[in-house]
Amino acid sequence: MVSEKGFRRNTLTLLLCPGTNANIKMSRPQEPHRPFFHFANPFRKNSHKGSQFNLKRHSLLNDFETALSKKLQKLVPNDKGDILSLSWMKLAMESLSEIHCDIKNLITELDLPVTEWDEKWMDVYLDISVKLLDISIAFTSELTRLNQGHLILQYGLHKLESDSPELFSRASSSLDSWKQHIGSKNPRVETCRPILEKLVESLNLPKVKNSSKGKELMRAMYGAKVATTYICSVFAAAFSGSSKNLLDLTVPNTLPWAQVFSDVQNTVNVEIRNILSCGKFTVLRELDAVDACVRELSTLLQDGVGTSERESFKNSVSDLRKTEEKLSQGLDNLLKVVDSFFKIVLMGRDALLCNLRKAGGAVPDSVIGKNV
């Protein structure tokens, strides 16, 4: 039998410290319990000299918030033209994963006893996590859809590079198909806005009584939630092509990272809104570059490629090949980091729910019917 205290200790360790490289598996009832992490339980209660540990605790929070500020600051590139490039979006998603890892490390270092936790925090975590899973699925769906255009362009490029005028009509048809495919709407992306609205509702700095370490942990987790919600809104705006999904969040100016976040948000939001106001086919930099090449080639094919246009035509085909390869690689790389973030969230949620059931505990009402 698992004692209530032991169950709560194991459950919260799994909830807040998911390992990023672990395999995702559902626990099997017939198997003996195995610790989810191969290091000491961060929630055990150790003896510390009060004043000495208080100084260490404040130092840990300061270190987390300093690291958070630096990760946010990296999102303002030297060249604003890099904003909404696939490499910039990859950096933003990698930053989220790092922030979640920093939270895990903070939990371990704080050595927070389980008796200081409120069960409501567990409900909030589970409710937020399912929303993050849903929005990650929407992002993955859109990246996959965009990458499917790679096959269409590969076929068209094969015909164009054959240097056979008889095959140019097929190539032209492929370019038209690509434009129709990329220009279509993804229903999953349309679900992002209500998810973002719910995430914004969850943004508050919880009041914690009788636990100094709990207060500092909740403050750190608030920073993680703000960064996650904002970056998700940037992705939603980019994929939907709508500024309605772009959030303008306000955070208490007493937080040491507040000014950095405000500067990042203002810089990024102004640039994104400028891009969206231009009415371009897409706001993604690499995708826009491919679209420009496709439009140029389509015009050449419609007008006819004569002897005088041969050199220009070959250069246009070469440009399309290069920009298309850059787009495909960028989409693949971004897809990997979005998938990694998804797994980080899923492992914590899955581990918690599995252990609740294994120990005979009740699944919180907030997640009944929401299992992934």
Side-chain angles (χ1 to χ4, degrees):
M1 295 290 291
V2 179
S3 68
E4 179 181 357
K5 183 176 180 180
F7 161 65
R8 290 172 61 84
R9 178 185 296 112
N10 292 334
T11 297
L12 287 167
T13 301
L14 293 171
L15 167 63
L16 292 166
C17 305
T20 57
N21 295 320
N23 292 324
I24 302 174
K25 296 181 179 179
M26 294 293 289
S27 298
R28 298 179 181 178
Q30 67 270 23
E31 294 180 348
H33 172 71
R34 297 177 181 176
F36 195 72
F37 297 102
H38 303 293
F39 45 78
N41 184 350
F43 295 101
R44 71 188 186 286
K45 189 170 181 124
N46 292 334
S47 59
H48 298 283
K49 293 182 179 180
S51 60
Q52 181 180 355
F53 188 68
N54 285 341
L55 291 174
K56 179 184 177 182
R57 193 180 67 237
H58 290 307
S59 176
L60 291 171
L61 178 60
N62 289 338
D63 289 346
F64 172 84
E65 293 184 324
T66 298
L68 176 62
S69 294
K70 290 180 178 178
K71 290 179 176 65
L72 291 171
Q73 188 62 55
K74 287 194 300 184
L75 299 183
V76 179
N78 294 328
D79 182 0
K80 293 181 182 180
D82 289 337
I83 294 175
L84 286 191
S85 66
L86 295 176
S87 58
W88 180 87
M89 295 176 74
K90 176 175 176 285
L91 173 65
M93 190 56 67
E94 286 174 337
S95 296
L96 282 190
S97 294
E98 291 172 1
I99 289 169
H100 283 252
C101 288
D102 288 346
I103 284 286
K104 180 200 73 172
N105 294 334
L106 180 64
I107 293 292
T108 302
E109 294 295 331
L110 278 176
D111 187 30
L112 187 65
V114 72
T115 53
E116 293 187 17
W117 283 89
D118 190 319
E119 291 183 359
K120 291 181 180 179
W121 301 346
M122 187 183 298
D123 292 342
V124 170
Y125 172 85
L126 289 169
D127 189 50
I128 292 174
S129 68
V130 77
K131 290 176 175 59
L132 292 180
L133 292 174
D134 286 342
I135 205 165
S136 295
I137 289 172
F139 296 161
T140 297
S141 172
E142 180 62 5
L143 289 168
T144 301
R145 187 187 73 84
L146 292 175
N147 222 358
Q148 288 170 348
H150 171 71
L151 296 176
I152 300 174
L153 280 185
Q154 284 293 303
Y155 176 81
L157 279 166
H158 176 70
K159 301 303 179 186
L160 292 170
E161 291 171 341
S162 67
D163 202 26
S164 172
E166 291 78 14
L167 299 178
F168 287 173
S169 61
R170 296 184 187 178
S172 180
S173 177
S174 293
L175 297 182
D176 289 340
S177 296
W178 179 84
K179 286 188 287 186
Q180 291 176 5
H181 175 76
I182 296 299
S184 61
K185 296 293 184 181
N186 185 345
R188 282 194 179 275
V189 174
E190 303 304 314
T191 67
C192 290
R193 184 168 177 76
I195 295 175
L196 289 170
E197 290 173 351
K198 292 295 183 181
L199 287 175
V200 171
E201 291 176 6
S202 74
L203 291 180
N204 55 69
L205 196 53
K207 294 182 179 180
V208 182
K209 298 180 180 178
N210 305 320
S211 174
S212 297
K213 288 186 287 186
K215 289 179 182 178
E216 288 167 346
L217 178 60
M218 289 299 103
R219 182 167 130 170
M221 291 183 68
Y222 172 74
K225 287 195 297 181
V226 168
T228 302
T229 301
Y230 174 67
I231 291 175
C232 284
S233 83
V234 170
F235 274 56
F239 291 145
S240 66
S242 172
S243 60
K244 293 181 180 180
N245 288 323
L246 192 61
L247 297 176
D248 292 285
L249 302 177
T250 301
V251 299
N253 57 17
T254 54
L255 297 171
W257 50 268
Q259 187 59 54
V260 174
F261 174 76
S262 179
D263 292 343
V264 171
Q265 181 174 244
N266 290 339
T267 301
V268 173
N269 284 6
V270 167
E271 182 64 19
I272 292 176
R273 289 189 171 109
N274 285 339
I275 297 172
L276 291 171
S277 66
C278 294
K280 289 188 176 183
F281 175 71
T282 176
V283 297
L284 299 176
R285 304 289 187 179
E286 290 86 348
L287 187 57
D288 184 54
V290 172
D291 178 58
C293 291
V294 167
R295 285 187 283 106
E296 182 178 352
L297 274 170
S298 295
T299 300
L300 287 172
L301 291 171
Q302 289 173 4
D303 294 341
V305 182
T307 304
S308 59
E309 293 86 16
R310 299 295 286 181
E311 190 64 28
S312 175
F313 175 75
K314 288 182 179 180
N315 290 337
S316 295
V317 172
S318 177
D319 289 343
L320 177 58
R321 170 68 70 183
K322 292 175 183 177
T323 56
E324 195 280 330
E325 288 177 352
K326 185 177 180 180
L327 170 64
S328 181
Q329 187 62 53
L331 290 172
D332 284 341
N333 291 338
L334 182 54
L335 190 56
K336 289 176 183 177
V337 295
V338 171
D339 182 60
S340 177
F341 177 72
F342 175 90
K343 288 177 180 177
I344 289 173
V345 177
L346 180 61
M347 281 189 288
R349 178 184 175 80
D350 185 55
L352 172 63
L353 293 176
C354 286
N355 279 272
L356 278 172
R357 295 189 181 98
K358 185 176 180 180
V363 176
D365 292 339
S366 61
V367 296
I368 292 177
K370 296 182 180 179
N371 269 340
V372 182

